[in-house]
């Protein structure tokens, strides 16, 4: 993933950024404290349609939350392996440098070739020649991080440990983590390259605890775009918050100035859940039941009795345990989360069944007023529970964006002057 | 043992070491160009300290009471040519093709230790540029270390073989892990002799079509899995000893460079990462942690010898390596009660979480270790 060198076939990296104007425009707008998306929709914006462009890394908020959802995911949770706060902070700075380069379509460090023959190259090289592919890298800090480095007093009140929900069957090896990085890109190799190189830089300071690939997006943050289907064949979360909905983002996603703690202002909270689907039993379920379970029709994704997926649902027309009815803000005192999940298939489970489902990712201003009450309700009543099981779980405080080239991930948490 | 051998030889590219093929022969070389070497039990006199490049002839006479060995050596102690076992009162003529450069002639009375040395300058145009003497010293000491490991392995291997041949299952099991230690410590050097490794350290899944399974792991399976020692196992034990003696005799000729030392250290950690952490190496005996420790010790030795140069060229790297070697050693110590013994916890008793912790510590060390070679040649 070096800078494009004299190849006339592809537009230059700079041209790609300039073309959509999205990256630069977002950076400018975000620096001003507002969230404005230059891109209006995946299906309308030429740069997005090309899916090769770069997303601006710097801004008031981290990219990868309200920015348009890319096609692919590699998500990694890390454990901290060092007691040395300075070494950990240096790694965050090194990660920031690498992230800044990779999201711009550049190789890490001194690149993947041309260096000393006796040394392994800085960059692992599999993204050479690939476009930036809208790569975003988003970092989060787990509750257990605050047991380290004298951070106990800095832990946000909103960063609570998730309770055990009915039906949870969590695999400890796929749960928790001191920190996480979400890599989203339109090219899976670009996303994997990013996580791999960050893990390499992190050796000795952090170690991957678990990671998850997602091959297909299941949500959209672009208004009026079609909601991508999940592996059950349904559209879900059609009323997702769009990147242009500044008011709803402010109300439901971004941590406000007065929410506390100061270092989280402009950040968000992320809940990650690995939700295994009982694919084979679902596939044997009658169409009527499938539609009843969701409260939508399968073809269009329209709520019961409506014509289009974005039509306002009439909840009372649905069965009491229908997924949409239970999850809708109107049934939950207005609770709204920003969904950014991906479908996954990790091969088969040894019993000839797909090991597949939804890697659910949700951003919110406060987990206690977002995912937790929502999931309490769903885990107790949702008709969908017969076909799914939550098998992995994690929660992270996602700090505000990296402001400029001198800033770094986690500065507001770790820097004394911040 | 690895399926694909990235041998030390392949990395040996230093110009100073590109000697022409050395050959030994009883020749009637012309006395005009010959160097008279008079060896005794504590002296080694040479008639000339400087000869032109080309065919160099040593006319050796052993005037001592012990059998001796005479060698022409590169500055890093690699052997250009040698003659072993020159008996008391006997003579021998040794010839070799030698390029311009600095060499030493060594007499080793009793055929062991550093021996008595004399300088030899080979003159001529196009002399190779000299390497940092500190690095030559590091290579020389590492070669000595590799030799010591082979020398010390032999009695331990003999004890193992003796137990196998006596049909003593328990004694053989006890001697198995220790008999491998010297090999594991210097595996990249041992593997540079491509023909020895497949005979002594191959695992069943590493066999090529038609290859007979011999060596440690074949006996490991007999002892722990089949739980019996038959005539074939006894013969294989003898064969193992023979092959290890071959290794012992060839360590001095291994091509070793500062780069191959540094990369060899990293390769030892690769061995740990791919074979030991997974429990594949000693799948029946579960003595993987003994091998693990041996690999780390060997890597550390190579690093410590290169450290004077590395610490000067890359002080932060040296500090990081010191810390990570310390951390891995401390972690391994948790798996033995007596820090002077090699009685490690059986690897089948090491839990998944513990293996992850060991793997993380190996990654933490191997990543900076991969930068050592560049720091040394900088």
């Amino acid at each position: 993933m070096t800078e494009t060198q004299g190849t006339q076939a592809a537009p230059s990296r700079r041209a790609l950024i300039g073309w959509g104007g999205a990256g630069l425009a977002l950076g400018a707008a975000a620096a001003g404290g507002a969230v404005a998306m230059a891109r209006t929709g995946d299906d309308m914006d030429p740069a997005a349609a090309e899916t090769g462009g770069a997303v601006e890394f710097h801004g008031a908020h981290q990219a990868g939350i309200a920015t348009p959802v890319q096609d692919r995911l590699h998500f990694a949770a890390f454990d901290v392996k060092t007691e040395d706060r300075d070494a950990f902070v240096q790694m965050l700075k090194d990660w920031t440098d690498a992230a800044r380069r990779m999201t711009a379509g550049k190789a890490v460090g001194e690149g993947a070739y041309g260096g000393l023959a006796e040394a392994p190259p800085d960059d692992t090289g599999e993204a050479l020649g690939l476009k930036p592919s809208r790569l975003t890298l988003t970092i989060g800090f787990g509750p257990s991080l605050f047991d380290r480095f004298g951070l106990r007093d800095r832990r946000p009140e909103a960063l609570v440990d998730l309770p055990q929900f009915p039906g949870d069957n969590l695999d400890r090896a796929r749960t928790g983590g001191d920190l996480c990085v979400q890599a989203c890109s339109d090219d899976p190799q670009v996303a994997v390259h990013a996580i791999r190189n960050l893990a390499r830089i992190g050796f000795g300071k952090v170690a991957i605890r678990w990671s998850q690939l997602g091959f297909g997006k299941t949500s959209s943050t672009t208004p009026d775009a079609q909601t991508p289907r999940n592996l059950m064949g349904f559209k879900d979360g059609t009323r997702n918050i769009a990147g242009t909905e500044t008011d709803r983002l402010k109300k439901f996603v971004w941590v406000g100035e007065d929410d506390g703690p100061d270092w989280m202002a402009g950040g968000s909270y992320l809940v990650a859940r690995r939700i295994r689907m009982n694919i084979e039993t679902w596939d044997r379920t009658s169409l009527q039941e499938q539609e009843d379970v969701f409260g939508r029709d399968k073809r269009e994704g329209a709520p019961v009795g409506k014509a289009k997926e974005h039509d306002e649902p009439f909840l009372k027309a649905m069965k009491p345990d229908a997924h949409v009815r239970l999850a809708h803000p109107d049934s939950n005192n207005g609770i709204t989360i920003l969904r950014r999940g991906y479908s996954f298939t990790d091969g088969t489970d040894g019993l000839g069944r797909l090991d597949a489902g939804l890697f659910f990712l949700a951003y919110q201003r406060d987990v206690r007023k977002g995912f937790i009450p929502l999931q309490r309700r769903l885990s107790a009543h949702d008709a969908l529970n017969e076909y799914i099981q939550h098998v992995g779980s994690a929660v992270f405080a996602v700090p505000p964006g990296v402001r400029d080239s001198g800033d770094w991930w986690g500065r507001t948490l770790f820097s004394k002057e911040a | 043992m690895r399926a694909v051998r990235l041998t030390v030889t392949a990395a040996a590219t230093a110009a100073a070491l590109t000697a022409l093929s050395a050959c030994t022969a009883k020749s009637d070389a012309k006395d005009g160009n010959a160097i008279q070497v008079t060896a005794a039990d504590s002296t080694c006199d040479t008639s000339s300290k400087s000869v032109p490049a080309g065919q160099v002839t040593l006319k050796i006479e052993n005037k001592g009471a012990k059998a001796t060995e005479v060698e022409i050596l590169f500055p890093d102690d690699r052997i250009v040519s040698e003659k072993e076992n020159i008996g008391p009162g006997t003579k021998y003529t040794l010839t070799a093709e030698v390029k311009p450069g600095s060499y030493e002639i060594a007499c080793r009375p009793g055929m062991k230790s550093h021996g008595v040395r004399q300088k030899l300058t080979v003159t001529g145009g196009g002399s190779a540029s000299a390497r940092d003497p500190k690095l030559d010293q590091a290579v020389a000491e590492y070669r000595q270390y590799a030799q010591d490991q082979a020398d010390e392995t032999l009695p331990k291997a003999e004890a193992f073989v003796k137990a196998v041949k006596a049909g003593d299952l328990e004694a053989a099991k006890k001697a198995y892990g220790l008999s491998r230690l010297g090999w594991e410590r210097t595996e990249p050097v041992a593997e540079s002799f491509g023909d020895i490794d497949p005979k002594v350290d191959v695992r069943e899944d590493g066999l090529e079509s038609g290859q007979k399974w011999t060596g440690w792991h074949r006996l490991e399976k007999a002892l722990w899995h089949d739980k019996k020692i038959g005539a074939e196992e006894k013969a294989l034990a003898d064969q193992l000893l023979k092959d290890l003696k071959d290794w012992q005799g060839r360590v001095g000729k291994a091509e070793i460079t500062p780069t191959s030392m540094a990369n060899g250290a990293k390769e030892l950690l690769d061995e740990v990462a791919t074979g030991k952490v997974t429990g594949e190496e000693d799948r029946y005996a579960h003595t993987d942690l003994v091998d693990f420790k041996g690999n780390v010790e060997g890597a550390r030795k190579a690093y410590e010898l290169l450290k004077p140069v590395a610490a000067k060229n890359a002080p932060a790297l040296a500090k990081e390596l010191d810390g990570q070697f310390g951390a891995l050693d401390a972690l391994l110590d948790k798996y033995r009660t007596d820090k002077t013994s090699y009685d490690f916890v059986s690897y089948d008793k090491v839990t998944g979480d513990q293996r992850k912790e060991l793997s993380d510590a190996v990654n933490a060390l191997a990543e900076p270790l991969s930068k050592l070679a560049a720091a040394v040649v900088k």
Side-chain angles (χ1 to χ4, degrees):
Chain A
M1 204 158 59
T2 52
E3 293 165 73
T4 313
Q5 295 161 345
T7 44
Q8 293 307 311
S12 76
R13 202 181 51 77
R14 181 161 295 280
L16 278 169
I17 296 172
W19 187 7
L24 298 173
L26 171 63
V35 178
M37 296 301 305
R39 288 179 188 148
T40 50
D42 287 359
D43 45 354
M44 298 161 70
D45 183 80
E50 171 69 22
T51 70
V55 176
E56 175 60 42
F57 177 69
H58 300 123
H61 310 293
Q62 291 194 67
I65 303 171
T67 48
V69 179
Q70 305 90 324
D71 294 334
R72 321 286 180 173
L73 169 81
H74 191 185
F75 188 98
F78 296 83
D79 287 331
V80 172
K81 304 299 288 186
T82 181
E83 308 284 317
D84 184 343
R85 180 180 166 128
D86 291 343
F88 183 72
V89 166
Q90 186 58 50
M91 185 207 73
L92 290 174
K93 292 177 180 175
D94 294 344
W95 269 15
T96 309
D97 286 342
R100 193 178 277 126
R101 290 188 63 85
M102 290 190 288
T103 52
K106 296 178 188 170
V108 171
E110 300 290 312
Y113 54 83
L116 275 175
E118 292 83 1
D122 287 348
D123 187 282
T124 55
E126 71 272 30
L128 286 174
L130 300 180
K131 292 172 183 170
S133 309
R134 295 197 295 168
L135 173 68
T136 56
L137 294 166
T138 315
I139 198 170
F141 301 130
S144 48
L145 181 73
F146 296 86
D147 297 336
R148 301 170 178 275
F149 305 129
L151 293 173
R152 207 168 290 261
D153 299 340
R154 310 277 274 164
R155 177 170 168 175
E157 271 182 43
L159 186 65
V160 293
D161 294 300
L162 295 182
Q164 171 87 21
F165 297 102
D168 276 4
N169 183 20
L170 303 183
D171 176 357
R172 214 172 52 79
R174 293 187 186 275
T175 295
D178 293 334
L179 63 163
C180 72
V181 177
Q182 170 196 283
C184 298
S185 167
D186 292 318
D187 186 324
Q189 187 135 320
V190 169
V192 169
H193 169 264
I195 293 296
R196 174 178 171 188
N197 280 268
L198 293 179
R200 189 173 169 220
I201 292 167
F203 281 134
K205 278 76 73 180
V206 296
I208 290 192
R209 180 180 174 86
W210 52 270
S211 84
Q212 181 68 56
L213 289 172
F215 68 82
K217 62 180 175 182
T218 61
S219 62
S220 170
T221 53
T222 36
D224 306 325
Q226 287 250 340
T227 304
R229 291 173 194 270
N230 62 22
L231 287 184
M232 288 173 154
F234 278 81
K235 299 173 182 178
D236 193 27
T238 56
R239 258 303 266 146
N240 205 25
I241 303 173
T244 48
E245 292 182 285
T246 315
D247 290 350
R248 285 220 296 164
L249 285 169
K250 195 175 170 195
K251 189 172 178 191
F252 296 115
V253 177
W254 305 129
V255 175
E257 299 278 343
D258 301 327
D259 292 355
D262 289 349
W263 70 268
M264 273 297 287
S268 188
Y269 293 93
L270 167 63
V271 170
R273 304 280 285 187
R274 181 179 154 94
I275 304 173
R276 168 90 188 261
M277 292 173 176
N278 301 326
I279 296 281
E280 291 76 10
T281 55
W282 174 257
D283 292 345
R284 291 173 202 132
T285 302
S286 71
L287 178 61
Q288 184 63 56
E289 185 174 343
Q290 289 187 9
E291 293 187 335
D292 285 349
V293 163
F294 273 96
R296 298 177 191 279
D297 88 300
K298 198 159 191 177
R299 176 183 172 182
E300 168 61 28
V304 173
K306 302 286 178 168
K308 296 287 176 190
E309 68 162 278
H310 291 299
D311 287 352
E312 201 54 43
F314 180 58
L315 298 178
K316 285 181 180 160
M318 300 174 188
K319 302 220 164 187
D321 59 357
H323 182 67
V324 169
R325 182 167 178 175
L326 287 168
H328 197 274
D330 291 353
S331 308
N332 295 281
N333 301 316
I335 289 176
T336 304
I337 54 177
L338 187 152
R339 301 179 47 151
R340 228 174 181 284
Y342 285 81
S343 292
F344 71 87
T345 303
D346 292 344
T348 44
D349 66 357
L351 298 172
R353 308 178 300 196
L354 284 178
D355 183 2
L358 171 67
F359 188 66
F360 172 94
L361 294 168
Y363 288 89
Q364 58 235 280
R365 184 173 174 181
D366 188 333
V367 178
R368 298 166 298 179
K369 297 170 188 164
F371 178 76
I372 291 177
L374 205 54
Q375 182 58 18
R376 275 196 204 287
R377 190 176 167 84
L378 288 173
S379 61
H381 304 292
D382 193 352
L384 202 50
N385 291 337
E386 196 177 333
Y387 302 99
I388 62 172
Q389 189 173 51
H390 289 237
V391 294
S393 176
V395 60
F396 301 96
V398 176
V402 173
R403 293 176 309 187
D404 51 41
S405 60
D407 198 5
W408 44 279
W409 269 338
R411 178 188 52 82
T412 57
L413 173 59
F414 284 93
S415 182
K416 289 167 190 75
E417 67 271 19
Chain B
M1 126 84 212
R2 302 188 303 267
V4 179
R5 271 165 228 99
L6 297 170
T7 67
V8 174
T9 312
T13 54
L17 298 183
T18 50
L20 295 178
S21 58
C23 58
T24 57
K26 270 188 185 178
S27 77
D28 49 358
K30 295 167 280 296
D31 283 0
N33 220 7
I35 302 169
Q36 305 291 330
V37 180
T38 310
D41 291 351
S42 59
T43 58
C44 185
D45 297 326
T46 57
S47 63
S48 175
K49 305 288 185 215
S50 177
V51 291
Q55 191 177 62
V56 172
T57 303
L58 303 189
K59 294 191 84 79
I60 305 160
E61 181 172 8
N62 183 3
K63 290 190 172 174
K66 296 176 186 166
T68 194
E69 179 178 314
V70 174
E71 297 159 340
I72 304 172
L73 297 165
F74 287 107
D76 64 356
D77 271 13
R78 185 163 62 97
I79 298 166
V80 179
S81 188
E82 67 170 349
K83 174 60 189 171
E84 295 172 327
N85 208 11
I86 304 169
T90 63
K91 295 180 180 179
Y92 188 82
T93 302
L94 176 68
T95 63
E97 282 289 327
V98 186
K99 280 194 161 185
S102 296
Y103 298 84
E104 283 186 330
I105 291 171
C107 304
R108 298 187 200 261
M111 296 189 291
K112 56 186 181 188
S113 79
H114 185 71
V116 187
R117 306 285 184 98
Q118 297 294 344
K119 298 280 180 208
L120 176 66
T121 304
V122 178
T123 58
S127 172
S129 61
R131 194 161 63 195
D132 181 347
K134 276 195 206 138
L135 289 175
D136 278 333
Q137 190 190 337
V139 172
E141 285 181 36
Y142 184 69
R143 184 185 305 284
Q144 188 59 50
Y145 172 75
Q147 187 66 59
D148 290 347
Q149 292 309 310
D151 294 350
E152 286 165 24
T153 294
L154 260 290
K156 286 170 185 160
E158 274 161 11
F160 173 61
V161 167
K162 194 176 156 197
V164 171
K165 294 184 75 180
D168 188 339
L169 215 57
E170 287 314 305
K173 282 180 173 181
K174 224 174 153 193
Y176 170 81
L178 282 182
S179 77
R180 295 175 46 74
L181 200 54
W183 176 275
E184 290 294 325
R185 283 178 182 144
T186 57
E187 210 162 353
V189 177
E191 285 182 346
S192 72
F193 312 111
D195 57 328
I196 302 178
D197 181 65
K199 287 192 265 191
V200 303
D201 199 28
V202 69
R203 299 193 301 245
E204 192 167 14
D205 46 285
L207 292 172
E208 287 167 22
S209 169
Q211 183 187 349
K212 185 176 188 293
W213 191 19
T214 59
W216 272 304
H217 294 300
R218 165 69 178 78
L219 293 167
E220 179 202 354
K221 189 180 183 188
L223 296 176
W224 273 273
H225 183 261
D226 306 334
K227 299 184 177 63
K228 58 175 190 245
I229 299 170
E232 195 190 346
E233 282 74 29
K234 289 176 185 177
L236 285 170
D238 275 333
Q239 181 63 41
L240 173 64
L241 198 58
K242 186 164 162 283
D243 293 334
L244 291 177
K245 279 181 180 161
D246 184 21
W247 162 51
Q248 183 194 24
R250 284 158 70 182
V251 171
K253 289 201 179 99
E255 295 222 27
I256 303 174
T257 65
T259 311
S260 75
M261 273 172 72
N263 285 329
K266 182 204 74 89
E267 284 166 28
L268 282 167
L269 268 293
D270 295 345
E271 293 275 333
V272 174
T274 55
K276 279 76 176 189
V277 163
T278 56
E280 287 170 50
E281 181 77 26
D282 300 294
R283 64 190 60 169
Y284 308 110
H286 306 302
T287 53
D288 303 88
L289 287 178
V290 183
D291 289 6
F292 191 146
K293 180 70 180 171
N295 287 157
V296 175
E297 284 177 339
R300 185 161 203 168
K301 180 71 184 180
Y303 163 62
E304 295 290 348
L305 291 173
L306 294 169
K307 191 167 146 187
V309 177
K312 188 165 139 273
N313 292 347
L317 178 66
K319 184 164 172 276
E320 173 75 8
L321 287 171
D322 286 340
Q324 296 297 354
F325 267 117
L328 184 53
D329 279 340
L331 185 57
L332 280 171
D333 278 345
K334 290 185 187 172
Y335 295 89
R336 56 178 177 179
T337 45
D338 175 2
K339 283 173 192 157
T340 61
S341 93
Y342 287 85
D343 284 335
F344 282 92
V345 171
S346 180
Y347 206 63
D348 56 342
K349 302 284 191 295
V350 177
T351 66
D353 282 352
Q354 289 174 319
R355 290 179 187 205
K356 168 75 161 66
E357 190 182 24
L358 287 164
S359 176
D360 288 343
V362 168
N363 280 330
L365 171 59
E367 189 64 29
L369 200 53
S370 73
K371 300 186 169 83
L372 179 61
V376 166
V377 300
K378 190 146 50 170

